[in-house]
Amino acid sequence: MNDWPQGWSDDNRGTRYGRGSSGAQPESARVMRQVRRGPSAPPGGPPGGVPQQPSYVDGGQGDAGYGGHGGYDGYDSGYNTGQVYGTPGGRGPGDGGGGAMGEPRPAPNWRRRIKITAITVVTVLLATTIGTYFWADSKLNREVDLSKVIDRPEAGEGTNYLIVGSDSREGMSAEDKKELHTGSAEGKRTDSMMILHTGDNGSTLISLPRDSDVEIPTFKGSESGKTYQGTGRHTKLNAAYAEDGPELLVRTVEFNTGLRIDHYVEIGFAGFANIVDAVGGVEIDIPQDIKDTKSGADLKKGKQTLNGEEALAFVRTRYALAGSDLDRTKNQQKFLSALANQVATPGTVLNPFKLYPTMGAGLDSLIVDKDMGLFDLASMFWAMKGVSGGDGTSMNMPISGSTGGNLVWDKAKVKTLVEQLKNDEKVTVSSD
């Protein structure tokens, strides 16, 4: 049976591989290089067998049309070995192999990548920290020169801060004054004064009532430089601030206590309210209902979060309290400790959208002494946080009575208290 197409005969098959060709070799232009799938039929095999294909490996029999002596002079197409495009194992250029010369791609150097990433992160954090430090340091208002204070007591152990809340209305608009119920009095006075002692035995926060009876000593004028001799004159403590500012206040506190003040920190009405608002309000437990038309306070008893306006009213209130100024100082201590605790929380420190506004509001409104640094300020806040957390003591200056409307300090208790602070000992004196 003839298996070839119609018109073809076995005689026509012969050794022909293309039209018009009578040679034994295939036409060079029609050769299809192929990979042998199995052994070729031996020469002279049964009819219909596949003729043995020419080899292109290692310079074997080539195409007569390419010179008749090996064709490509040893060129290996790669088809006989399953190797394509010169890549090992028959992989193509898109099969994950190496480069054009068939070299494998090197494995990623993860150790080097991790090292570079770590260096980059540390560099960014370091640059941000340094930039933040210099930005914050430049915002401190170092206006108080403690070198003008004369006849100072010897320094003791630990650090003593004099923290002052003034009724300064500087920078406030008429609308701000109305909203915060501050009035429009010119100049500035001090509504609150506290000594914060920090040391190895915890922190102690002592309120100095504004109506404390004190003697104004000999002092040097902060502006004139003129020396004013003391006459034994007694007045309220806040009058010293009103008379010649922070330098005379420090001089008066040191003279009447014998305790050296290392740093001075002051904040005004607007600054206080802005800090509270910047941290998103401060949570505090109010012991009683408070309604005071002079401070603007209208607060209910219980735990609640106060905004800046409400907080300022709370710390200024005294007429609605049974103990007047003594009860007010207790509220001031309580609130300032809660504020310090709020500022030092991770939610504020680790959140740049809250940290920077808080720092900006606080630093812009603070007045400090010329030697105050950011680390001193941070130490003060951490100490106040410790007081609110139970790691310290808060108290009023011990009072023994009053004279002419002024509160008289208990001299024996004050002497013991000051000695304990100077020696950085645990405070055992109470204000009761």
Side-chain angles (χ1 to χ4, degrees):
M1 181 178 178
N2 188 350
D3 294 328
W4 293 88
Q6 187 176 0
W8 287 62
S9 66
D10 290 344
D11 292 337
N12 289 344
R13 285 184 296 168
T15 57
R16 298 181 60 177
Y17 286 85
R19 295 176 187 173
S21 174
S22 59
Q25 300 295 330
E27 275 185 273
S28 61
R30 296 187 180 272
V31 170
M32 178 182 293
R33 304 183 184 98
Q34 58 186 357
V35 180
R36 290 192 296 271
R37 305 292 183 180
S40 301
V50 180
Q52 182 177 2
Q53 301 298 310
S55 172
Y56 293 87
V57 181
D58 298 329
Q61 175 64 39
D63 189 340
Y66 282 81
H69 51 75
Y72 293 108
D73 293 331
Y75 169 77
D76 179 8
S77 67
Y79 280 86
N80 284 342
T81 61
Q83 181 174 325
V84 185
Y85 295 109
T87 60
R91 291 177 295 173
D95 293 335
M101 299 305 293
E103 298 178 358
R105 180 179 298 168
N109 189 338
W110 290 109
R111 180 176 297 179
R112 182 171 179 272
R113 291 185 181 185
I114 293 173
K115 181 179 180 181
I116 292 175
T117 301
I119 292 174
T120 302
V121 171
V122 170
T123 301
V124 171
L125 289 176
L126 186 61
T128 301
T129 301
I130 294 174
T132 299
Y133 176 86
F134 283 104
W135 167 77
D137 188 72
S138 68
K139 296 180 79 66
L140 278 178
N141 300 308
R142 297 183 174 94
E143 300 177 5
V144 179
D145 188 357
L146 295 183
S147 68
K148 295 179 180 180
V149 180
I150 61 175
D151 300 332
R152 309 193 67 187
E154 292 185 2
E157 300 294 327
T159 304
N160 300 310
Y161 300 84
L162 181 59
I163 304 171
V164 174
S166 76
D167 64 358
S168 172
R169 298 157 177 84
E170 184 177 352
M172 297 176 64
S173 64
E175 183 178 350
D176 292 334
K177 294 175 184 177
K178 182 179 179 180
E179 181 180 351
L180 297 176
H181 301 273
T182 63
S184 299
E186 296 298 326
K188 60 181 183 178
R189 286 149 293 277
T190 175
D191 268 0
S192 61
M193 291 155 284
M194 303 178 189
I195 294 175
L196 174 66
H197 173 83
T198 64
D200 295 334
N201 286 290
S203 301
T204 304
L205 185 61
I206 309 164
S207 286
L208 310 176
R210 55 176 281 173
D211 294 337
S212 296
D213 185 80
V214 294
E215 179 183 341
I216 302 296
T218 299
F219 69 96
K220 182 184 291 186
S222 59
E223 297 294 334
S224 66
K226 179 181 177 181
T227 299
Y228 297 87
Q229 294 295 328
T231 61
R233 173 171 58 101
H234 279 246
T235 185
K236 294 180 179 181
L237 181 59
N238 67 335
Y241 180 91
E243 187 173 331
D244 198 53
E247 287 84 0
L248 178 55
L249 178 60
V250 171
R251 168 72 175 129
T252 302
V253 169
E254 289 186 342
F255 178 81
N256 285 269
T257 63
L259 185 68
R260 186 184 180 97
I261 300 300
D262 299 296
H263 291 295
Y264 177 91
V265 180
E266 177 185 324
I267 186 169
F269 282 163
F272 180 82
N274 288 340
I275 293 176
V276 174
D277 286 334
V279 297
V282 175
E283 185 179 73
I284 191 169
D285 191 0
I286 299 178
Q288 66 181 75
D289 291 348
I290 299 177
K291 190 172 182 64
D292 185 355
T293 56
K294 294 196 174 186
S295 68
D298 187 5
L299 305 169
K300 299 297 182 182
K301 177 182 178 179
K303 185 175 292 186
Q304 56 200 283
T305 298
L306 304 183
N307 61 27
E309 178 185 348
E310 295 167 336
L312 182 59
F314 175 69
V315 299
R316 292 181 60 217
T317 295
R318 64 169 174 160
Y319 295 105
L321 305 176
S324 188
D325 198 42
L326 292 179
D327 282 349
R328 176 170 70 168
T329 57
K330 293 178 181 178
N331 285 342
Q332 290 170 347
Q333 289 181 347
K334 185 176 182 179
F335 188 85
L336 288 178
S337 295
L339 174 60
N341 187 68
Q342 178 71 23
V343 170
T345 59
T348 299
V349 175
L350 300 179
N351 184 353
F353 297 103
K354 184 176 287 187
L355 175 63
Y356 285 99
T358 301
M359 291 179 64
L363 297 174
D364 277 341
S365 58
L366 291 179
I367 295 175
V368 300
D369 65 272
K370 293 184 180 297
D371 294 327
M372 172 73 87
L374 287 178
F375 290 108
D376 298 312
L377 195 61
S379 176
M380 183 192 80
F381 271 96
W382 280 105
M384 293 185 69
K385 178 184 178 183
V387 171
S388 67
D391 294 332
T393 302
S394 59
M395 59 183 292
N396 279 324
M397 187 65 83
I399 303 296
S400 62
S402 64
T403 177
N406 296 352
L407 298 175
V408 179
W409 293 350
D410 187 319
K411 292 183 179 179
K413 286 188 174 182
V414 169
K415 181 178 180 180
T416 302
L417 173 63
V418 170
E419 286 300 318
Q420 290 176 341
L421 294 178
K422 278 186 173 182
N423 298 324
D424 194 26
E425 299 171 351
K426 186 174 180 59
V427 172
T428 59
V429 177
S430 69
S431 55
D432 299 329

